[in-house]
Amino acid sequence: MPQSAEKVLDHAPLFREPEYRQMLAEKKLNFECPHPDQIVTDQRELTKTWEYREKNLAREALVINPAKACQPLGAVFAAAGFERTMSFVHGSQGCVAYYRSHLSRHFKEPSSAVSSSMTEDAAVFGGLKNMVDGLANTYKLYDPKMIAVSTTCMAEVIGDDLRSFIENAKNEGSVPCDFDVPFAHTPAFVGSHVDGYDGMVKGVLEHFWKGSERSQAAGTINIIPGFDGFCVGNNRELKRLLDLMGVTYTVIQDASDQFDTPSDGEYRMYDGGTKIEDVKGALNAEATLSLQHYNTRKTLEYCNEVGQATASFHYPLGVQATDEFLMKVSAISGQEIPETIRMDRGRLVDAMADSQSWLHGKKYAIYGDPDFVYAMARFVMETGGEPTHCLATNGTSTWEAEMKELLASSSFGQDAQVWAGKDLWAMRSLLFTEPVDLLIGNSYGKYLERDTGTPLIRLMFPIFDRHHHHRFPLMGYQGGLRVLTTILDKIFDKLDRETSETGVTDYSYDLTR
């Protein structure tokens, strides 16, 4: 075998060695019962046609590679944004391993969460005992300041009631009666991670605000970032802008430090997060602003019920979206937008103008969460690009209508199509039948890139196969500059590849672009 102590190969070259090629070929022949190569080729070619596209888009009973995750993942991420908070998921252990691995693979950081470890007996008789024991172990072993409880499919199917279970656990001494245990029911078989995020944030606010008297502090603002794989860079850029304006604010659910801990010899199970006292005091804010509308619909309804003014945005990225957000903050807080921020804006506009000849007319396919797709389509049109396909598996009919209104507002969106509820297998048909120049989404799009040849730009959670993108902002003017540079790099890399053949295409292999 080619692997030895003197010659250690990683998996990429290892499986190209003759021994492994032979082993895999014999496995395919003897155990996979493959169809003849010609049949496979014919079927592959059929899936690239308009005929197959019509059948694919009409599909209702089957979902193939949806661009979304389940509710509890959003709840676990939400809990990570509060001070010394341990996420406790009432359900099976395997489900929680998925949430932890999804977050840790994206952020390249440990993601802490515990499970009530429900098994077959709990599925039949209920998970109360698991809750009692699990909360006691969590409190004793991990020393949290708060335990945030959510659910998986198993607990929801059998109807476990979190409120009564938590009360019973406290009565049995699992945790002190005055210990904070907010909760949210997050059935994984409906909705998506954005709904789980919304439910958990609302659950935390309701836990601390319900029954408390509100005393409004004029000009103060709560900011809810939403489920955001770029929270590390985005939240820090957001706070920089608000600090420059002199705004009094609270970022509710700030996971920027939790998912970006330093390597200095000290392990931090908890780091950063919105302080519990700040969450309590946030009840008195004049207004609560959400940076992602579809991530926070129930939370904003609750904030409005307690007497706060509310407003939401669709991931403020680019010039106009950032303008609207900062102007709203200025109007509520009474603080002027300083010259430093105006200069940031001017530099982004200048950069877009410098590169306009390379961006104008480029066609894009964009997929991901509803607010992100809206933001990217808007920014693409600001650059003179055309967002040809806009797809959100967890998009609603309301989102679809908002997208169509946005696209109709620009000549660059006239030929765009909006696909709510469709998946990445549907996107594959769209890319084959109506090709575009660039694909924007998450790491799962790399299979679309391989199949269709459409270059992928990774700007959406999760990003597993690239490192450290989340440390840089996408929001704001600085974030827009980062996105602009990322798009241009992909355009120039593609052009270099297409013009690199000596004596054939290298007449355009230019040093200056």
Side-chain angles (χ1 to χ4, degrees):
M1 300 294 282
Q3 191 81 288
S4 69
E6 290 74 31
K7 182 185 178 183
V8 178
L9 302 176
D10 67 27
H11 60 87
L14 180 64
F15 288 101
R16 299 176 193 153
E17 294 292 318
E19 296 90 336
Y20 282 97
R21 287 182 180 273
Q22 181 181 351
M23 179 190 73
L24 293 171
E26 291 177 354
K27 174 180 177 290
K28 179 178 180 180
L29 179 64
N30 296 323
F31 300 105
E32 295 182 8
C33 302
H35 290 286
D37 290 343
Q38 188 58 51
I39 292 179
V40 173
T41 299
D42 291 345
Q43 290 298 313
R44 183 184 295 117
E45 293 305 309
L46 174 64
T47 63
K48 301 177 183 179
T49 64
W50 276 89
E51 176 189 358
Y52 181 80
R53 166 178 162 156
E54 296 306 313
K55 295 178 181 179
N56 191 7
L57 295 177
R59 169 171 48 89
E60 295 180 356
L62 175 68
V63 177
I64 304 173
N65 203 5
K68 69 182 180 84
C70 59
Q71 283 205 49
L73 175 68
V76 171
F77 175 81
F82 294 96
E83 178 189 16
R84 292 190 65 84
T85 297
M86 178 59 72
S87 184
F88 182 103
V89 186
H90 185 47
S92 65
Q93 192 170 358
C95 292
V96 182
Y98 153 63
Y99 316 138
R100 293 179 62 188
S101 65
H102 226 60
L103 293 170
S104 64
R105 287 169 179 168
H106 173 84
F107 290 108
K108 311 305 177 192
E109 293 282 345
S111 176
S112 299
V114 298
S115 167
S116 60
S117 299
M118 292 175 65
T119 53
E120 290 84 352
D121 57 343
V124 174
F125 300 108
L128 176 58
K129 185 177 185 303
N130 299 67
M131 175 73 73
V132 171
D133 294 343
L135 287 179
N137 290 337
T138 303
Y139 181 74
K140 292 176 182 177
L141 291 174
Y142 303 114
D143 190 29
K145 196 167 185 177
M146 181 167 75
I147 300 174
V149 181
S150 55
T151 53
T152 67
C153 297
M154 182 187 296
E156 290 294 328
V157 167
I158 64 177
D160 282 359
D161 181 358
L162 291 185
R163 185 184 301 276
S164 64
F165 276 26
I166 292 169
E167 289 178 1
N168 284 331
K170 287 186 173 183
N171 291 336
E172 294 194 27
S174 294
V175 297
C177 289
D178 60 350
F179 187 78
D180 295 313
V181 188
F183 66 89
H185 283 276
T186 53
F189 44 79
V190 294
S192 73
H193 56 285
V194 301
D195 301 293
Y197 177 93
D198 191 10
M200 193 73 255
V201 173
K202 181 192 174 187
V204 171
L205 297 185
E206 194 170 26
H207 173 81
F208 288 109
W209 292 1
K210 192 172 184 179
S212 299
E213 186 176 347
R214 182 169 180 268
S215 177
Q216 179 171 304
T220 59
I221 301 174
N222 297 326
I223 307 288
I224 307 177
F227 188 105
D228 185 12
F230 283 75
C231 65
V232 173
N234 279 339
N235 289 8
R236 290 171 182 167
E237 175 62 13
L238 169 69
K239 287 183 277 189
R240 184 186 74 89
L241 293 171
L242 297 175
D243 289 340
L244 285 170
M245 291 179 65
V247 177
T248 301
Y249 66 92
T250 299
V251 177
I252 293 177
Q253 199 279 314
D254 181 7
S256 56
D257 289 340
Q258 179 64 36
F259 289 120
D260 191 31
T261 57
S263 183
D264 59 1
E266 177 187 352
Y267 170 67
R268 297 166 173 82
M269 179 170 285
Y270 312 102
D271 200 11
T274 308
K275 293 186 179 301
I276 301 302
E277 290 305 312
D278 290 342
V279 176
K280 295 176 181 178
L283 172 62
N284 301 320
E286 179 178 340
T288 293
L289 306 183
S290 166
L291 301 189
Q292 297 190 67
H293 172 74
Y294 288 98
N295 285 241
T296 52
R297 288 166 286 179
K298 292 181 180 178
T299 302
L300 288 184
E301 285 178 9
Y302 178 68
C303 292
N304 190 257
E305 288 173 8
V306 301
Q308 296 176 350
T310 59
S312 59
F313 301 87
H314 296 300
Y315 208 88
L317 184 163
V319 180
Q320 189 175 356
T322 305
D323 289 352
E324 291 174 358
F325 170 67
L326 293 177
M327 290 171 68
K328 186 68 173 180
V329 170
S330 178
I332 295 170
S333 66
Q335 301 292 330
E336 293 292 325
I337 299 173
E339 185 64 19
T340 303
I341 295 178
R342 296 180 189 275
M343 292 293 285
D344 283 348
R345 183 186 191 276
R347 292 183 181 111
L348 173 57
V349 174
D350 180 66
M352 292 166 66
D354 289 345
S355 305
Q356 195 272 340
S357 61
W358 292 102
L359 296 166
H360 182 83
K362 287 289 186 292
K363 295 181 181 293
Y364 297 79
I366 307 166
Y367 67 91
D369 290 341
D371 294 293
F372 171 81
V373 175
Y374 187 102
M376 277 305 312
R378 191 178 194 182
F379 181 67
V380 159
M381 291 191 294
E382 286 183 337
T383 69
E386 301 175 17
T388 305
H389 303 298
C390 301
L391 183 150
T393 306
N394 49 357
T396 63
S397 57
T398 303
W399 170 79
E400 184 174 353
E402 279 193 295
M403 283 295 304
K404 289 180 178 178
E405 183 180 355
L406 169 70
L407 296 166
S409 68
S410 169
S411 59
F412 296 110
Q414 298 302 309
D415 297 326
Q417 301 173 80
V418 182
W419 306 97
K422 299 302 181 182
D423 52 37
L424 294 188
W425 188 249
M427 177 64 86
R428 182 178 181 274
S429 283
L430 300 175
L431 295 177
F432 272 125
T433 52
E434 294 182 90
V436 297
D437 298 296
L438 296 164
L439 174 67
I440 297 178
N442 59 26
S443 287
Y444 288 98
K446 71 184 300 177
Y447 300 101
L448 295 174
E449 181 179 40
R450 182 181 63 185
D451 282 359
T452 68
T454 311
L456 171 66
I457 300 173
R458 295 161 175 81
L459 292 172
M460 179 71 209
F461 177 92
I463 299 175
F464 292 154
D465 59 338
R466 299 292 187 271
H467 289 204
H468 311 306
H469 288 207
H470 64 278
R471 300 179 192 270
F472 302 93
L474 303 185
M475 291 184 184
Y477 305 123
Q478 292 284 358
L481 189 59
R482 168 77 177 175
V483 173
L484 182 74
T485 304
T486 303
I487 292 172
L488 287 166
D489 281 350
K490 184 64 72 169
I491 290 172
F492 295 140
D493 285 344
K494 181 175 184 289
L495 184 58
D496 282 347
R497 286 195 302 272
E498 292 173 345
T499 59
S500 63
E501 190 175 353
T502 305
V504 180
T505 61
D506 65 337
Y507 50 83
S508 291
Y509 192 67
D510 298 326
L511 181 63
T512 303
R513 297 292 190 193

